[in-house]
Amino acid sequence: MAMRWSGRKLVLAIGGSMISFTIFLCLLNSISFSCHCEEKEVREVLCCSDSRPIKKQQGEGELPQPTIYVITPTYKRMEQIPELTRLAQTLMHVPNLHWIVGDDTSEPNRHIVEYLSQTGIPHTYLLTPMPKQYRTRSKALPKGVANRNAGLKWLRKHATQGVVYFADDDNTYDIRIFEEIRRTKRVSAFPVGLVTSYGLSTPVVKNGSFFDWYDGWRGGRKFPVDMAGFAFSVPYLLQKPKAIMPYKAGFEEDGFLRSLQIDPKEVEFLADGCTKIYVWHTKTRPNKPSKKTILNTKYDGTNLRQLQKDMILEM
Amino acid sequence: MAMRWSGRKLVLAIGGSMISFTIFLCLLNSISFSCHCEEKEVREVLCCSDSRPIKKQQGEGELPQPTIYVITPTYKRMEQIPELTRLAQTLMHVPNLHWIVGDDTSEPNRHIVEYLSQTGIPHTYLLTPMPKQYRTRSKALPKGVANRNAGLKWLRKHATQGVVYFADDDNTYDIRIFEEIRRTKRVSAFPVGLVTSYGLSTPVVKNGSFFDWYDGWRGGRKFPVDMAGFAFSVPYLLQKPKAIMPYKAGFEEDGFLRSLQIDPKEVEFLADGCTKIYVWHTKTRPNKPSKKTILNTKYDGTNLRQLQKDMILEM
């Protein structure tokens, strides 16, 4: 399967083998998995599910709630499934949510596809490898940019209403943040804990109005904010067809918010006027690939032969 | 408020000020918080809640499900609330669960008490400081032992049925593990990912029977298992009145399982015969206390004055 990147345009060329693989997966998950993958769609989307066992019902007489589109970049590592598990179990509590998972890979990861399907969360799995020219740089990598931009591209094609939120898989989200961001009209912002030496990144609000930003690293940014500290509406995104995230490590948020052409004074302040912390920039310690002891022949015929299939062993 | 430790017996001497504080908290949380704190009970339990907004209903004709008692040791740090948030949002999915949170403190942490109350999870908050003689040791500290033993003591007094699980607040739990452990008759065991250089700790099962343990650190242990890799039933615990966790860093699991007087061959293997990983020993990177920049007088009259109340600042 080949995948090429031409400028800002993502071209996914997926061959017949992948379509077969997709159909196979859909069949595999036939109980709780409703696959909407058509041949054309498969070029960008591996699979999506609209079923959901833990769905909350809308009350009678209530207005329909705007859909929240959560865009999560992810990449293969020892902690990938546990991180997505924690995040999924948070998102399961949120009604009217669609999860866009952009995986930094050009080959679908069956572990992720299978895991996402069984969560029951309506989702879209995108293959979003970082372009080669950025991956080989020696300086800080612009991680998650290809993933988020692919999510935005998917939204421009498939959504007209709702709210978008960039939610990395290692952060911690109190479920209350989702009901806050759901009422975003254009661009909203709110505090994020455990960011930089200040331990906090937030708009500073005085008498209900924008006063300043509080963040331990300004770096000349117009928007010194964390990726998890803002949300924006789909209608507003659609009004800004050039809005995109730049491949510039440390300046992804600033570049994207500048491209949204919003003024800091126009930003909507959520979480009780930015007085509550409902999101934290937690970081998980990376583990090295596991030793190969599990391959010892003395374990033939035991449960370890099944378990090793789910593990990443050292090279 | 004084708190003394005498041998293995925890004596909580809580004065009138704490009772008043407890009543105040109960009033504060009157909407979703049902407080069962009587004066006598307050000696050991700060507060408990039996309300639960996201409660699943038992189906008609189904047998009542055994209660799962989750014992979670915790301690004050920058990541405490986010970690408990992630775990709470996992536990909210599990019906018939009672969460015993043992906090390594002799003063109630109002942030934790308030957070637990609003989750709606039935819970008990215990003050379980590590005894001084262990805290001042230069070698590895037996973390979480006072907390877990206090949880066991509480269970011996309040429970006759159900299943017990030690769930640290930084691990990752797929919700499927709870339905697995719920059927524990005496002692059950199952795989835990991301443990030691092997990346896995699990019983090795051959032809349905115990074959060996797989864990990167044996250390002469009879039970080389992770704290998150086993569960036990309340009736079995009650049959072993001397079962207790030793204050011996690295040997807590082994010592406790030995005190339960179970033979490895009698252990029940869960998670499809120990072929699935539903628990991971994830570790969160610690953050240093935050800089005091937030105290700058230029922020007077802003939202930062509310936010600083929830922060831990450097000394």
Side-chain angles (χ1 to χ4, degrees):
Chain A
M1 193 188 67
M3 187 162 295
R4 293 179 297 115
W5 182 268
S6 172
R8 285 181 178 166
K9 197 174 173 190
L10 181 67
V11 182
L12 300 179
I14 298 176
S17 62
M18 183 164 154
I19 296 166
S20 310
F21 178 75
T22 307
I23 293 166
F24 168 64
L25 284 174
C26 293
L27 288 170
L28 251 185
N29 293 286
S30 58
I31 297 167
S32 66
F33 188 85
S34 161
C35 186
H36 294 237
C37 309
E38 294 168 20
E39 190 168 331
K40 189 181 160 198
E41 191 69 356
V42 171
R43 288 187 188 165
E44 290 188 5
V45 181
L46 182 64
C47 260
C48 49
S49 161
D50 278 320
S51 66
R52 190 171 203 194
I54 308 167
K55 203 169 191 172
K56 288 182 193 168
Q57 297 303 317
Q58 188 114 8
E60 268 184 54
E62 285 178 26
L63 284 172
Q65 297 189 82
T67 299
I68 296 174
Y69 293 96
V70 172
I71 299 179
T72 298
T74 190
Y75 63 100
K76 190 171 183 177
R77 60 201 192 279
M78 298 280 284
E79 302 76 27
Q80 187 177 24
I81 284 278
E83 296 287 45
L84 290 172
T85 298
R86 279 202 278 216
L87 180 50
Q89 291 174 180
T90 286
L91 301 183
M92 281 178 193
H93 291 293
V94 187
N96 291 13
L97 181 142
H98 190 102
W99 195 11
I100 301 169
V101 178
D103 201 355
D104 184 3
T105 176
S106 51
E107 297 282 348
N109 181 331
R110 74 168 178 86
H111 295 288
I112 307 300
V113 172
E114 287 172 12
Y115 178 72
L116 292 176
S117 299
Q118 69 78 39
T119 64
I121 301 172
H123 67 274
T124 300
Y125 177 71
L126 298 173
L127 302 175
T128 59
M130 186 188 290
K132 270 188 186 170
Q133 65 266 38
Y134 302 112
R135 199 184 292 274
T136 51
R137 291 203 299 200
S138 58
K139 53 184 178 177
L141 298 177
K143 288 181 190 171
V145 175
N147 324 46
R148 294 188 199 97
N149 280 335
L152 294 175
K153 190 180 175 211
W154 185 91
L155 281 167
R156 291 185 196 282
K157 198 172 169 186
H158 296 89
T160 55
Q161 298 297 325
V163 171
V164 192
Y165 185 45
F166 295 129
D168 290 358
D169 60 5
D170 53 351
N171 288 340
T172 300
Y173 308 90
D174 185 305
I175 51 175
R176 288 172 285 189
I177 195 59
F178 297 99
E179 295 319 310
E180 292 286 327
I181 63 175
R182 203 189 289 280
R183 51 197 175 88
T184 301
K185 300 296 177 205
R186 301 209 292 181
V187 178
S188 61
F190 37 86
V192 182
L194 304 180
V195 178
T196 77
S197 59
Y198 285 12
L200 179 67
S201 175
T202 182
V204 185
V205 182
K206 196 167 189 172
N207 301 323
S209 301
F210 177 79
F211 178 74
D212 198 358
W213 300 102
Y214 186 78
D215 189 291
W217 181 64
R218 300 295 287 234
R221 295 182 296 172
K222 182 178 177 185
F223 296 94
V225 302
D226 186 76
M227 193 65 77
F230 65 94
F232 50 99
S233 75
V234 171
Y236 189 70
L237 174 73
L238 297 179
Q239 285 173 30
K240 310 290 174 183
K242 292 183 178 173
I244 196 162
M245 188 166 289
Y247 283 94
K248 196 174 173 189
F251 293 85
E252 294 93 338
E253 300 92 339
D254 187 49
F256 177 69
L257 285 166
R258 283 174 188 257
S259 78
L260 273 185
Q261 298 174 309
I262 193 86
D263 189 90
K265 291 178 184 169
E266 297 172 312
V267 167
E268 302 145 47
F269 303 120
L270 303 182
D272 278 358
C274 294
T275 63
K276 302 273 170 63
I277 302 175
Y278 291 145
V279 191
W280 294 268
H281 191 67
T282 39
K283 288 178 192 158
T284 302
R285 277 189 188 160
N287 291 267
K288 290 180 188 165
S290 306
K291 284 190 178 170
K292 292 181 175 176
T293 318
I294 200 169
L295 302 179
N296 193 312
T297 53
K298 75 175 175 179
Y299 297 124
D300 287 351
T302 73
N303 59 320
L304 298 193
R305 290 292 159 264
Q306 276 79 52
L307 288 167
Q308 78 184 63
K309 293 179 192 167
D310 296 333
M311 297 186 68
I312 300 174
L313 301 181
E314 62 188 9
M315 298 294 282
Chain B
M1 194 186 71
M3 187 163 294
R4 291 178 298 114
W5 183 268
S6 170
R8 286 180 178 166
K9 195 174 173 189
L10 182 67
V11 182
L12 302 178
I14 298 175
S17 62
M18 184 166 152
I19 297 165
S20 310
F21 177 76
T22 307
I23 294 166
F24 167 65
L25 283 174
C26 294
L27 288 171
L28 249 186
N29 293 287
S30 57
I31 298 168
S32 65
F33 188 87
S34 162
C35 187
H36 294 239
C37 310
E38 293 169 20
E39 189 167 334
K40 189 182 161 198
E41 192 70 354
V42 172
R43 288 187 188 163
E44 289 187 6
V45 181
L46 182 65
C47 260
C48 49
S49 162
D50 277 322
S51 65
R52 189 170 203 196
I54 308 167
K55 203 168 190 173
K56 288 182 195 168
Q57 296 303 318
Q58 189 113 6
E60 269 185 54
E62 287 178 24
L63 284 173
Q65 298 189 84
T67 299
I68 296 174
Y69 293 95
V70 172
I71 298 179
T72 299
T74 190
Y75 63 100
K76 190 171 183 178
R77 61 202 193 276
M78 298 281 284
E79 301 77 25
Q80 188 177 23
I81 285 278
E83 297 286 47
L84 290 172
T85 298
R86 279 201 277 216
L87 180 51
Q89 292 173 178
T90 286
L91 301 183
M92 281 178 194
H93 290 294
V94 187
N96 291 13
L97 181 143
H98 189 103
W99 195 11
I100 301 169
V101 179
D103 201 355
D104 183 4
T105 175
S106 50
E107 298 282 346
N109 182 331
R110 75 167 177 87
H111 295 289
I112 307 300
V113 172
E114 287 171 12
Y115 178 72
L116 293 176
S117 299
Q118 68 78 39
T119 65
I121 300 171
H123 66 273
T124 298
Y125 177 70
L126 298 174
L127 302 176
T128 58
M130 185 189 291
K132 271 186 186 170
Q133 64 266 38
Y134 302 112
R135 198 184 292 274
T136 51
R137 291 203 300 200
S138 58
K139 53 184 177 177
L141 298 177
K143 289 181 189 171
V145 175
N147 324 46
R148 295 188 198 97
N149 280 335
L152 294 176
K153 189 180 175 210
W154 185 91
L155 281 166
R156 291 185 195 281
K157 196 172 170 185
H158 295 89
T160 55
Q161 296 298 324
V163 172
V164 192
Y165 185 46
F166 295 129
D168 290 359
D169 60 5
D170 53 350
N171 288 340
T172 300
Y173 308 90
D174 185 307
I175 50 176
R176 288 173 284 190
I177 195 59
F178 297 99
E179 295 319 310
E180 291 286 328
I181 63 175
R182 203 188 290 279
R183 52 197 175 87
T184 300
K185 301 294 176 206
R186 301 210 291 180
V187 178
S188 62
F190 37 86
V192 182
L194 303 180
V195 178
T196 76
S197 60
Y198 286 10
L200 178 68
S201 176
T202 182
V204 185
V205 182
K206 197 166 188 171
N207 300 323
S209 300
F210 177 79
F211 177 75
D212 198 357
W213 300 101
Y214 186 78
D215 188 293
W217 181 65
R218 301 294 288 233
R221 295 183 294 171
K222 182 178 178 186
F223 296 93
V225 302
D226 186 76
M227 193 64 77
F230 65 93
F232 50 99
S233 74
V234 172
Y236 189 70
L237 174 73
L238 298 180
Q239 286 173 30
K240 310 290 173 183
K242 291 184 179 174
I244 196 162
M245 188 167 288
Y247 283 93
K248 196 174 173 189
F251 293 84
E252 295 92 337
E253 299 93 339
D254 187 50
F256 177 69
L257 285 167
R258 282 174 188 257
S259 78
L260 274 184
Q261 298 173 309
I262 192 87
D263 189 273
K265 290 177 184 169
E266 297 173 311
V267 167
E268 303 146 46
F269 302 120
L270 304 182
D272 278 358
C274 294
T275 62
K276 301 274 170 62
I277 301 176
Y278 291 145
V279 190
W280 295 267
H281 192 66
T282 40
K283 288 178 192 158
T284 302
R285 278 189 187 159
N287 292 266
K288 289 180 188 167
S290 306
K291 284 190 178 171
K292 292 181 176 176
T293 318
I294 200 168
L295 302 179
N296 193 311
T297 53
K298 75 175 176 180
Y299 298 124
D300 287 351
T302 73
N303 58 320
L304 297 194
R305 289 292 158 265
Q306 276 78 52
L307 287 168
Q308 77 184 62
K309 292 178 193 168
D310 296 332
M311 297 185 68
I312 300 174
L313 302 180
E314 63 188 10
M315 298 295 282

